[in-house]
Amino acid sequence: VSATAERFDFFYFVQQWPGSFCDTQRGCCFPDTGKPAAEFGIHGLWPNYVDCRGGGGGDDGGVISMVGRRGRCWPQFCDDGNELRPWEIRDLIKSLDQSWPTLACKGGRSFDFWSQEWMKHGTCSNLGQHEYFAASLALKAKHNLSAILAGAGIVPSDTETYFLSSIRDAIAEGTGAKANLECNRDADGESQLYQVYQCVDKAGKKLIDCPLSMNSKCRDRVKLPVF
Ligand code: 5GP
Ligand code: 5GP
Ligand code: 5GP
């Protein structure tokens, strides 16, 4: 119920590598639209603060109440009454099915994933429903991460490992902005690239260098498993 604009500093635009979601101990399930393409898929567009005390100083009492006592660095669930309505995004469904497929074993409907991301993050974005999903699709279309990595010789492989720094550099060079990287472990405990966090201005349009670093759980050398 935010008649007023939500205050935050930047967006994380998060994409997941499906090979790394699926080859964990927990496994994955394909959506009802079939096996997704072997490319990065959208996880979400997440409003974020630069520091956990709130965004940007000044009169941000509202922001502080969103942060909470444990110092979460982002606002979430800003409007429980604002459910995602299918007809609002009807012209985007085909692209969303391709670019934002669900891989969780939860029923296989990607719409449920989009809906969850909208309620948790989208309602804090100051974007309308159509705008939020259109902005996400445009960000993904702007830079093809798997092509950028392939251009640097970083191709999916079940045996090869890559220097994390070479992945970092390839993305910075290929997109013009520094991103954050997150890793997980495959079933054998090997470190692999799981998600790329690109940073985006508050309008959801322009990539910026990430103003924060993360605890990325990555080793120095990581895999990019085949999907
Ligand atoms: P996890 O615990 O798997 O890292 O994150 C769980 C969920 O918390 C994510 O799917 C996302 O919704 C939210 N989350 C985790 N880290 C961040 C962050 O740095 N910024 C924002 N805005 N949300 C996050
Ligand atoms: P966050 O991680 O944004 O809190 O939300 C992740 C939620 O979306 C979880 O409840 C997870 O089960 C669900 N989800 C559905 N499909 C996917 C998927 O493909 N990847 C991830 N990371 N979460 C998914
Ligand atoms: P969700 O609450 O179900 O909150 O899921 C939290 C996290 O668990 C997700 O962000 C994702 O990393 C992981 N997750 C959820 N469902 C699945 C699944 O089916 N397979 C895998 N590998 N991870 C999942």
Side-chain angles (χ1 to χ4, degrees):
V1 196
S2 33
T4 55
E6 195 58 40
R7 297 236 189 138
F8 61 91
D9 298 307
F10 68 98
F11 284 107
Y12 273 132
F13 177 58
V14 184
Q15 297 187 69
Q16 61 182 358
W17 177 249
S20 301
F21 188 80
C22 289
D23 76 355
T24 57
Q25 206 129 42
R26 203 166 162 188
C28 74
C29 296
F30 297 157
D32 49 20
T33 46
K35 184 182 176 178
E39 57 181 46
F40 284 85
I42 300 174
H43 182 162
L45 181 63
W46 304 345
N48 220 75
Y49 305 133
V50 167
D51 81 73
C52 295
R53 289 167 310 178
D59 173 26
D60 53 6
V63 170
I64 290 187
S65 72
M66 293 304 299
V67 174
R69 278 159 200 82
R70 279 175 306 174
R72 188 167 23 76
C73 286
W74 62 86
Q76 61 181 20
F77 298 111
C78 293
D79 186 357
D80 287 343
N82 189 357
E83 299 267 348
L84 182 61
R85 296 175 296 276
W87 57 268
E88 293 260 11
I89 54 167
R90 62 190 179 281
D91 61 315
L92 304 177
I93 301 278
K94 240 185 92 181
S95 303
L96 289 169
D97 273 327
Q98 277 171 18
S99 297
W100 199 330
T102 181
L103 287 168
C105 298
K106 275 198 167 174
R109 280 180 308 271
S110 295
F111 184 86
D112 295 344
F113 186 24
W114 312 333
S115 177
Q116 227 171 304
E117 292 298 310
W118 165 257
M119 292 306 288
K120 182 167 181 176
H121 302 286
T123 56
C124 304
S125 68
N126 298 324
L127 302 173
Q129 298 190 357
H130 190 276
E131 238 182 330
Y132 178 79
F133 288 96
S136 302
L137 289 169
L139 286 166
K140 174 167 160 60
K142 200 178 272 181
H143 300 286
N144 181 336
L145 292 182
S146 29
I148 286 172
L149 292 179
I154 299 159
V155 292
S157 163
D158 287 329
T159 50
E160 202 64 49
T161 61
Y162 301 102
F163 283 108
L164 188 67
S165 56
S166 68
I167 296 177
R168 200 183 289 294
D169 292 349
I171 291 175
E173 223 168 87
T175 67
K178 290 180 185 151
N180 289 335
L181 306 177
E182 180 184 13
C183 295
N184 66 3
R185 300 291 171 97
D186 70 14
D188 298 326
E190 298 230 50
S191 185
Q192 54 187 1
L193 179 64
Y194 168 42
Q195 300 198 108
V196 176
Y197 289 60
Q198 291 177 283
C199 291
V200 183
D201 71 344
K202 280 185 278 191
K205 297 220 159 96
K206 227 177 64 101
L207 285 188
I208 57 174
D209 285 336
C210 284
L212 290 179
S213 57
M214 304 187 341
N215 170 18
S216 69
K217 291 171 270 180
C218 297
R219 296 204 182 137
D220 285 350
R221 298 192 73 123
V222 301
K223 286 188 161 179
L224 185 69
V226 171
F227 177 64

